[in-house]
């Protein structure tokens, strides 16, 4: 079937799936992003034909020509979200419609065809259904879903490709923090920026992450867990962490977070935090926060807490902040009441253990 928003997926079960016994062994300690399920989704695109050949099939290597456009011009985007078991034994996803929308926005920025949101959502549902047995049956585990698309046309030339491949793979994961949630230490890099105005900062493309690997290595050299970027224009205002958005909790209980100006990824967890905080009566200001405000605010007690947020770790408290000028500790040491309260509330909603006031949880099974 070709084109249109409603594609019928052909199901081709893996003829040699992992045995139940081996799968149970793997799920006992899955880690994060180390093991993968039996199946994957593929959908093809060709200029003039649209999206076609939607399939669920055995997970396998992808044949790729050395002249595939993605290898030379980096037309590639991806998403990340999770499926969870619910208390009544079902399976649900958290805000997949938001991931679908962002996937389309990333495609537009990278001059790629937009996958219909209905196809995006159905691809996730189909993979979850066939690989249901890979979802960890504990309170900390989940199935991490990785939809992605890349330019598959075989050619050399600087122009948007005319052929693409969309895929979804899945990885059962345990808690991001194996020893429990602990405050992280971050490094404010003086040398690197994440994105500039007019760039690809708001798109979820692999190039943004590749460009940040040197900065992350710099952070590790300074004994830090994550890197913090300042804005590319003035090198003054906090942008985001290497792969997470950042929030500050002030002494009046309000929150502040850098605004979405095109250089910051519009995080779905970020948006969820804003909505939950506002529903609880907290003011949330999306405004520039300078590094100096962070440092002086931590010293005076004006900034009581700081945290980062994203799909993988949900909410991560920030404890110590290091830079070439020295280091300081956020007033509460990184384990504040607001931070941990928001984290618990969000986790409980995701896993179906609490009221879902915004209709974020999408039932699959």
């Amino acid at each position: 079937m070709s084109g249109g928003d409603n594609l019928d997926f052909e199901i081709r079960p893996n003829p040699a799936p992992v045995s139940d016994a081996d799968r149970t062994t793997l799920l006992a300690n899955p880690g994060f992003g180390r093991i993968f399920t039996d199946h994957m989704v593929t959908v093809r695109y060709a200029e003039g034909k649209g999206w076609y050949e939607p399939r669920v099939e055995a997970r396998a290597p992808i044949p790729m020509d050395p002249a595939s456009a993605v290898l030379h011009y980096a037309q590639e985007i991806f998403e990340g979200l999770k499926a969870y078991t619910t208390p009544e034994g079902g399976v649900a996803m958290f805000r997949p419609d938001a991931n679908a929308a962002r996937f389309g926005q990333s495609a537009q920025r990278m001059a790629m065809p937009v996958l219909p949101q209905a196809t995006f959502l159905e691809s996730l549902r189909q993979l979850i259904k066939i690989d249901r047995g890979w979802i960890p049956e504990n309170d900390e585990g989940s199935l991490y879903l990785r939809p992605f698309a890349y330019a598959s046309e075989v050619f050399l030339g600087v122009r948007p490709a005319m052929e693409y491949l969309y895929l979804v793979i899945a990885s059962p994961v345990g808690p991001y923090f194996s020893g429990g949630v602990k405050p992280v230490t971050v490094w404010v890099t003086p040398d690197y920026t994440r994105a500039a105005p007019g760039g690809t900062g708001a798109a979820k493309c692999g190039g943004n992450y590749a460009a940040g690997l040197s900065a992350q290595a710099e952070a590790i050299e300074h004994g830090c867990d994550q890197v913090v970027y300042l804005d590319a224009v003035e090198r003054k205002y906090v942008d985001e962490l290497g792969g997470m958005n950042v929030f500050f909790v002030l002494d009046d209980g309000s929150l502040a977070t850098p605004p979405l100006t095109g250089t910051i990824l519009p995080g779905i967890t970020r948006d969820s935090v804003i909505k939950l905080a506002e529903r609880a009566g907290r003011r949330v200001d999306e405004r520039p926060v300078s590094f100096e405000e962070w440092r002086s605010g931590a010293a005076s007690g004006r900034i009581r807490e700081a945290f980062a947020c994203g799909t993988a770790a949900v909410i991560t408290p920030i404890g110590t902040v290091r830079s070439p000028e020295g280091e300081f500790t956020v007033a509460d040491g990184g384990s504040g009441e607001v931070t941990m309260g928001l984290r618990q509330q969000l986790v409980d909603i995701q896993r179906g253990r609490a009221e879902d006031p915004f209709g974020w949880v999408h039932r699959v099974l």
Side-chain angles (χ1 to χ4, degrees):
M1 183 176 180
S2 65
D5 287 0
N6 298 310
L7 299 181
D8 296 325
F9 282 80
E10 178 186 359
I11 309 300
R12 297 181 176 182
N14 190 328
V18 174
S19 69
D20 291 346
D22 287 345
R23 186 174 66 236
T24 298
T25 300
L26 290 169
L27 291 179
N29 183 26
F32 199 98
R34 294 190 297 108
I35 61 176
F36 298 91
T37 66
D38 291 308
H39 297 86
M40 66 182 184
V41 168
T42 60
V43 187
R44 298 185 177 278
Y45 177 90
E47 187 75 19
K49 186 175 184 178
W51 296 98
Y52 68 101
E53 289 187 1
R55 293 174 181 166
V56 178
E57 55 191 333
R59 182 181 178 276
I62 307 168
M64 181 176 287
D65 189 283
S68 295
V70 67
L71 299 177
H72 304 273
Y73 310 111
Q75 272 189 293
E76 179 271 347
I77 58 174
F78 68 96
E79 274 297 325
L81 67 159
K82 293 178 180 177
Y84 308 85
T85 55
T86 59
E88 66 274 14
V91 178
M93 293 183 285
F94 181 73
R95 301 193 69 182
D97 51 335
N99 290 95
R102 189 172 65 182
F103 195 69
Q105 293 160 6
S106 294
Q108 289 179 324
R109 179 61 184 86
M110 301 302 289
M112 298 170 63
V114 174
L115 183 76
Q117 290 193 21
T119 302
F120 181 96
L121 295 172
E122 186 60 21
S123 71
L124 302 177
R125 286 191 287 262
Q126 291 290 346
L127 188 57
I128 291 169
K129 288 178 181 178
I130 199 167
D131 282 336
R132 166 67 177 84
W134 282 95
I135 305 178
E137 297 284 350
N138 57 63
D139 287 343
E140 298 294 332
S142 59
L143 187 65
Y144 185 84
L145 300 162
R146 171 51 60 86
F148 62 103
Y150 68 87
S152 57
E153 184 186 358
V154 177
F155 82 103
L156 297 179
V158 183
R159 62 162 172 80
M162 294 188 290
E163 296 176 5
Y164 297 84
L165 184 62
Y166 166 76
L167 302 98
V168 188
I169 57 176
S171 174
V173 298
Y176 194 77
F177 301 102
S178 58
V181 181
K182 299 176 181 177
V184 295
T185 299
V186 298
W187 170 255
V188 181
T189 177
D191 301 317
Y192 300 98
T193 60
R194 180 183 175 275
T200 60
K204 198 166 178 66
C205 59
N208 290 342
Y209 295 81
L213 295 178
S214 293
Q216 180 62 29
E218 181 183 80
I220 293 172
E221 288 175 1
H222 287 86
C224 298
D225 305 292
Q226 272 282 347
V227 62
V228 175
Y229 295 103
L230 302 180
D231 73 285
V233 177
E234 299 185 59
R235 301 292 185 96
K236 175 180 179 181
Y237 297 101
V238 176
D239 255 7
E240 63 175 287
L241 273 69
M244 294 182 281
N245 298 118
V246 63
F247 280 82
F248 305 94
V249 183
L250 280 62
D251 57 0
D252 61 1
S254 67
L255 277 66
T257 190
L260 300 179
T261 58
T263 63
I264 294 174
L265 185 71
I268 294 163
T269 306
R270 174 189 183 276
D271 182 69
S272 302
V273 167
I274 291 173
K275 286 181 168 60
L276 287 175
E278 290 179 337
R279 186 172 185 270
R282 296 186 184 277
R283 189 179 78 249
V284 181
D285 295 320
E286 296 182 68
R287 63 171 178 83
V289 177
S290 69
F291 177 53
E292 180 54 38
E293 179 185 353
W294 190 2
R295 177 164 45 196
S296 63
S300 68
R302 172 61 174 158
I303 294 179
R304 301 296 303 171
E305 307 172 30
F307 63 86
C309 63
T311 297
V314 188
I315 289 177
T316 306
I318 297 173
T320 300
V321 183
R322 292 178 182 161
S323 74
E325 289 76 40
E327 68 175 57
F328 61 88
T329 301
V330 180
D332 71 340
S335 56
E337 178 181 349
V338 176
T339 298
M340 301 309 291
L342 283 168
R343 185 182 197 280
Q344 190 61 55
Q345 185 181 10
L346 191 52
V347 168
D348 286 344
I349 292 173
Q350 290 172 338
R351 295 183 175 275
R353 300 192 298 245
E355 177 191 1
D356 178 15
F358 299 101
W360 287 337
V361 177
H362 289 231
R363 307 285 173 175
V364 180
L365 297 171

